Amino acid sequence: SQKIEQNSEALNIQEGKTATLTCNYTNYSPAYLQWYRQDPGRGPVFLLLIRENEKEKRKERLKVTFDTTLKQSLFHITASQPADSATYLCALSMHDKIIFGKGTRLHILP
Amino acid sequence: NAGVTQTPKFRVLKTGQSMTLLCAQDMNHEYMYWYRQDPGMGLRLIHYSVGEGTTAKGEVPDGYNVSRLKKQNFLLGLESAAPSQTSVYFCASSLQGGDYEQYFGPGTRLTVT
């Protein structure tokens, strides 16, 4: 069965630094990876989608990269702020559905 | 646009009771999904629907049933609740399948005692 893994349960980053989160998936093609943000007590909110033929996608301070050789996506938040503190979920698109990783809790320390 | 709404927001059930969770979306999306989220387990897909009148099993379907009689509504039923079904339930919708972003509702917190 397909798997998607986020290797850090939690990550502490100093305000102003770049936060980098990692997502790995098992062999699936075509691979589309999605990234969501979830705040406590709320539903996930979509951030970015990257396709396997795209190396990089950007949205404001967010950047996602995709390495099909490593089967890995990296999610970067530049110039991080305390308001960026949340759980970030990676998800693998699979035809009719997506499967989610367990998420990484990101804490931006002031 | 309300987006995706879920009813109720909170519910407490006794073991063996039944209930139905309602999800509604006003975006004319074809696909709808029900997930449960438990600490340390992430979001797990229970059932989903690829269009009005269709349903399909997800990763953890046992103990749940669903119906999609109208395109905008997706109902999740628990026929005989068990303590293992204590969880936060999220509904989501998307325009088409897995290649499209999903829009989530605010969640229903269910406790089964």
Side-chain angles (χ1 to χ4, degrees), chain B residues 1 10 21 25 34 39 55 65 75 78 82 94 97 103 106 110:
Chain B
N1 262 0
F10 302 94
L21 280 65
Q25 53 95 3
W34 275 108
T55 63
N65 55 73
L75 278 64
L78 285 73
S94 66
Y103 293 79
L110 175 67

CSV table of all heavy atoms in Angstrom, one decimal, chain B residues 1 10 21 25 34 39 55 65 75 78 82 94 97 103 106 110:
chain,number,residue,atom,x,y,z
B,1,ASN,N,-20.7,32.5,0.3
B,1,ASN,CA,-20.3,31.1,0.2
B,1,ASN,C,-19.9,30.6,1.6
B,1,ASN,O,-18.9,31.1,2.2
B,1,ASN,CB,-19.0,31.0,-0.7
B,1,ASN,CG,-19.4,30.5,-2.1
B,1,ASN,OD1,-20.6,30.3,-2.3
B,1,ASN,ND2,-18.5,30.4,-2.9
B,10,PHE,N,-20.3,19.2,18.2
B,10,PHE,CA,-19.9,18.3,19.3
B,10,PHE,C,-21.0,17.4,19.6
B,10,PHE,O,-22.2,17.7,19.4
B,10,PHE,CB,-19.7,19.1,20.6
B,10,PHE,CG,-18.6,20.2,20.5
B,10,PHE,CD1,-19.0,21.5,20.2
B,10,PHE,CD2,-17.3,19.9,20.8
B,10,PHE,CE1,-18.0,22.5,20.2
B,10,PHE,CE2,-16.4,20.9,20.7
B,10,PHE,CZ,-16.7,22.2,20.4
B,21,LEU,N,-23.9,12.2,11.1
B,21,LEU,CA,-23.2,13.5,10.9
B,21,LEU,C,-23.5,14.0,9.5
B,21,LEU,O,-23.4,13.2,8.5
B,21,LEU,CB,-21.7,13.3,11.0
B,21,LEU,CG,-21.1,13.2,12.5
B,21,LEU,CD1,-21.5,11.9,13.2
B,21,LEU,CD2,-19.5,13.2,12.4
B,25,GLN,N,-21.8,21.1,1.3
B,25,GLN,CA,-20.9,22.1,0.6
B,25,GLN,C,-21.7,22.8,-0.5
B,25,GLN,O,-22.6,22.3,-1.1
B,25,GLN,CB,-19.7,21.3,0.0
B,25,GLN,CG,-20.1,20.1,-0.9
B,25,GLN,CD,-20.2,20.4,-2.4
B,25,GLN,OE1,-19.9,21.5,-2.8
B,25,GLN,NE2,-20.5,19.4,-3.2
B,34,TRP,N,-15.0,11.8,4.0
B,34,TRP,CA,-15.1,11.8,5.5
B,34,TRP,C,-13.8,11.2,6.0
B,34,TRP,O,-13.4,10.1,5.6
B,34,TRP,CB,-16.3,10.9,6.0
B,34,TRP,CG,-17.6,11.6,6.0
B,34,TRP,CD1,-18.6,11.4,5.2
B,34,TRP,CD2,-17.9,12.6,7.0
B,34,TRP,NE1,-19.7,12.3,5.6
B,34,TRP,CE2,-19.2,13.0,6.7
B,34,TRP,CE3,-17.3,13.3,8.1
B,34,TRP,CZ2,-19.9,14.0,7.4
B,34,TRP,CZ3,-18.0,14.2,8.8
B,34,TRP,CH2,-19.3,14.6,8.4
B,39,PRO,N,-5.1,11.5,17.8
B,39,PRO,CA,-3.7,11.9,18.1
B,39,PRO,C,-2.7,10.8,17.7
B,39,PRO,O,-2.9,9.6,18.0
B,39,PRO,CB,-3.8,12.0,19.7
B,39,PRO,CG,-5.2,12.3,20.0
B,39,PRO,CD,-6.0,11.5,18.9
B,55,THR,N,-20.7,5.9,-3.5
B,55,THR,CA,-19.9,5.9,-2.3
B,55,THR,C,-18.8,4.9,-2.5
B,55,THR,O,-19.0,3.9,-3.3
B,55,THR,CB,-20.7,5.6,-1.0
B,55,THR,OG1,-21.2,4.3,-1.1
B,55,THR,CG2,-21.8,6.6,-0.8
B,65,ASN,N,-21.4,4.0,7.9
B,65,ASN,CA,-22.0,3.9,6.6
B,65,ASN,C,-22.2,5.4,6.1
B,65,ASN,O,-22.2,6.3,6.9
B,65,ASN,CB,-23.3,3.2,6.6
B,65,ASN,CG,-24.3,3.8,7.7
B,65,ASN,OD1,-24.8,4.9,7.5
B,65,ASN,ND2,-24.5,3.1,8.8
B,75,LEU,N,-23.6,12.2,4.1
B,75,LEU,CA,-23.9,11.9,5.5
B,75,LEU,C,-23.0,10.7,5.9
B,75,LEU,O,-22.8,9.7,5.2
B,75,LEU,CB,-25.4,11.4,5.5
B,75,LEU,CG,-26.4,12.5,5.7
B,75,LEU,CD1,-26.4,13.4,4.4
B,75,LEU,CD2,-27.8,11.9,5.9
B,78,LEU,N,-23.2,6.3,12.1
B,78,LEU,CA,-22.7,5.3,13.1
B,78,LEU,C,-23.9,4.5,13.6
B,78,LEU,O,-24.8,5.1,14.2
B,78,LEU,CB,-22.0,5.9,14.2
B,78,LEU,CG,-20.6,6.6,14.0
B,78,LEU,CD1,-20.7,7.9,13.3
B,78,LEU,CD2,-19.9,6.8,15.4
B,82,ALA,N,-19.1,2.8,19.3
B,82,ALA,CA,-18.2,2.2,20.2
B,82,ALA,C,-17.2,3.2,20.7
B,82,ALA,O,-16.9,4.2,20.0
B,82,ALA,CB,-17.5,1.0,19.4
B,94,SER,N,-13.9,18.3,-2.9
B,94,SER,CA,-13.0,18.8,-4.0
B,94,SER,C,-13.7,18.8,-5.3
B,94,SER,O,-14.7,18.0,-5.5
B,94,SER,CB,-11.7,18.0,-4.1
B,94,SER,OG,-11.9,16.7,-4.5
B,97,GLY,N,-11.0,14.8,-8.4
B,97,GLY,CA,-10.4,13.8,-7.6
B,97,GLY,C,-9.1,14.2,-6.8
B,97,GLY,O,-9.0,15.4,-6.5
B,103,TYR,N,-11.2,21.0,0.4
B,103,TYR,CA,-11.7,22.1,1.3
B,103,TYR,C,-12.4,21.3,2.5
B,103,TYR,O,-13.2,20.5,2.3
B,103,TYR,CB,-12.8,22.9,0.6
B,103,TYR,CG,-12.2,23.8,-0.5
B,103,TYR,CD1,-12.0,23.2,-1.8
B,103,TYR,CD2,-11.9,25.1,-0.3
B,103,TYR,CE1,-11.5,24.0,-2.8
B,103,TYR,CE2,-11.4,25.9,-1.4
B,103,TYR,CZ,-11.2,25.3,-2.6
B,103,TYR,OH,-10.7,26.1,-3.6
B,106,PRO,N,-15.2,22.4,9.6
B,106,PRO,CA,-14.6,22.7,10.9
B,106,PRO,C,-14.5,21.5,11.8
B,106,PRO,O,-13.8,21.6,12.8
B,106,PRO,CB,-15.6,23.7,11.4
B,106,PRO,CG,-16.9,23.4,10.8
B,106,PRO,CD,-16.6,22.9,9.4
B,110,LEU,N,-16.6,14.0,18.5
B,110,LEU,CA,-17.5,12.9,19.0
B,110,LEU,C,-16.8,12.1,20.1
B,110,LEU,O,-15.7,11.7,20.0
B,110,LEU,CB,-17.9,12.0,17.8
B,110,LEU,CG,-18.7,10.8,18.3
B,110,LEU,CD1,-20.1,11.2,18.7
B,110,LEU,CD2,-18.8,9.8,17.1
